[in-house]
Amino acid sequence: MDEVIINKKDRITIVTINRPNVRNAVNYKTSKMLENAMEEFNSDNEQHVCIITGNCGNFSSGADLSDAEKMSGEVLNKNGPMGFTRMFFQKPLIAAIEGYCVAGGLEMALSADIRISGKDAKFGFLERRFGVPLIDGGTQRLPKIIGVGRALDMILTGKLISADEAYKIGLVNYITDNGRALEKAIEIAKIMDSYPWDTLINDRLSLYNGLYEPLNKGLRIEAEFGKKTIDGGAVRDGAKKFISGHGRHGKMD
């Protein structure tokens, strides 16, 4: 049985962690499979959106502590011990979450652009109980997503929160019925893929490249990416589409 399953549907890659007997905990072998899967997606120009999810009702319970020695040896791995959390994605990444999304599993989810959760999903840094550090981006990404105060509360207490609370604090973007998170993720991925692609990618890269810069520099970065889009012809093509009657009155055709 493969610990990581890869499915490609049109231009959408679905990467599924498949270790249900340990709530999809990631051991050394699995981390390397995730690393390879994500690097392949990143370099495949035919694939536009990646969805990371877990099999059999859980996203991931984090690092497999029965393989702690090997996992600890990956602390300085350029892509992170979990396999991909230090990787910069050139294209959108969505996390489809059911059940437990905790410890390193939560850190993996934080690396996504959008997080979609089943209504009974649970989130938290439960590794606090065992002296395991956050080392796959949790201390850096969480405060930027939900704010410093809320992030410190989750990081220092190790508390478990519900999908409803995760949604209220901005950790989760969408909540679905249980078992429907992946379906919703595919729906959103298809919406993204339907848009003029160069514009979407450049706007995304503009956000990430300017996120931690002073406003004046960020605006310059935005202008440079916008000019790249305009020079590529996307605006000209979009204007022709609008003039012909498509997309009027907020319609998404």
Side-chain angles (χ1 to χ4, degrees):
M1 182 174 66
D2 289 335
E3 286 87 349
V4 173
I5 300 170
I6 303 170
N7 289 307
K8 296 181 180 181
K9 298 183 177 181
D10 298 322
R11 289 184 289 268
I12 301 168
T13 295
I14 302 171
V15 177
T16 304
I17 305 169
N18 185 38
R19 303 188 75 221
N21 57 314
V22 288
R23 288 179 173 168
N24 296 321
V26 174
N27 61 6
Y28 176 80
K29 179 182 177 182
T30 308
S31 73
K32 290 305 174 186
M33 294 177 74
L34 285 170
E35 185 172 33
N36 291 337
M38 293 305 193
E39 285 183 340
E40 179 182 336
F41 164 72
N42 234 356
S43 63
D44 186 347
N45 293 330
E46 298 300 315
Q47 293 296 294
H48 284 181
V49 184
C50 182
I51 299 169
I52 177 75
T53 192
N55 210 1
C56 298
N58 287 295
F59 183 74
S60 174
S61 57
D64 188 340
L65 296 185
S66 68
D67 204 13
E69 186 173 348
K70 277 190 174 181
M71 293 295 286
S72 296
E74 294 296 299
V75 167
L76 298 180
N77 175 18
K78 66 175 183 177
N79 289 327
M82 303 297 280
F84 65 91
T85 54
R86 295 176 193 156
M87 189 182 300
F88 181 76
F89 285 84
Q90 300 295 329
K91 300 167 287 187
L93 175 64
I94 300 172
I97 300 162
E98 304 281 356
Y100 281 90
C101 177
V102 298
L106 177 50
E107 291 184 281
M108 287 192 289
L110 291 172
S111 68
D113 299 299
I114 292 174
R115 283 160 293 283
I116 300 164
S117 165
K119 65 181 181 180
D120 288 340
K122 303 292 183 184
F123 303 83
F125 293 116
L126 303 187
E127 71 268 46
R128 178 60 57 230
R129 301 168 296 168
F130 306 112
V132 178
L134 278 65
I135 206 150
D136 277 275
T139 67
Q140 300 304 299
R141 290 191 175 100
L142 188 64
K144 294 176 178 70
I145 293 170
I146 67 172
V148 173
R150 290 190 175 109
L152 282 169
D153 184 25
M154 289 189 68
I155 291 168
L156 298 181
T157 68
K159 69 178 183 178
L160 197 65
I161 68 171
S162 67
D164 283 339
E165 184 172 352
Y167 179 76
K168 288 175 184 176
I169 65 177
L171 176 56
V172 164
N173 302 92
Y174 302 87
I175 294 179
T176 70
D177 290 336
N178 292 329
R180 304 290 293 274
L182 178 58
E183 179 183 333
K184 182 67 174 178
I186 293 171
E187 175 190 328
I188 292 172
K190 288 180 177 178
I191 290 171
M192 292 179 185
D193 187 46
S194 71
Y195 294 143
W197 194 243
D198 287 347
T199 306
L200 183 145
I201 288 298
N202 285 335
D203 283 351
R204 178 182 178 274
L205 292 175
S206 173
L207 186 154
Y208 279 120
N209 279 272
L211 191 58
Y212 309 119
E213 300 290 348
L215 179 59
N216 62 336
K217 187 173 181 180
L219 290 171
R220 182 62 188 174
I221 290 169
E222 180 184 72
E224 289 170 354
F225 275 103
K227 182 66 161 57
K228 182 178 179 181
T229 297
I230 292 168
D231 289 348
V235 175
R236 180 188 64 245
D237 294 342
K240 289 180 180 178
K241 185 177 179 180
F242 180 80
I243 291 168
S244 70
H246 293 281
R248 298 286 182 90
H249 309 295
K251 293 182 179 179
M252 306 297 283
D253 58 357

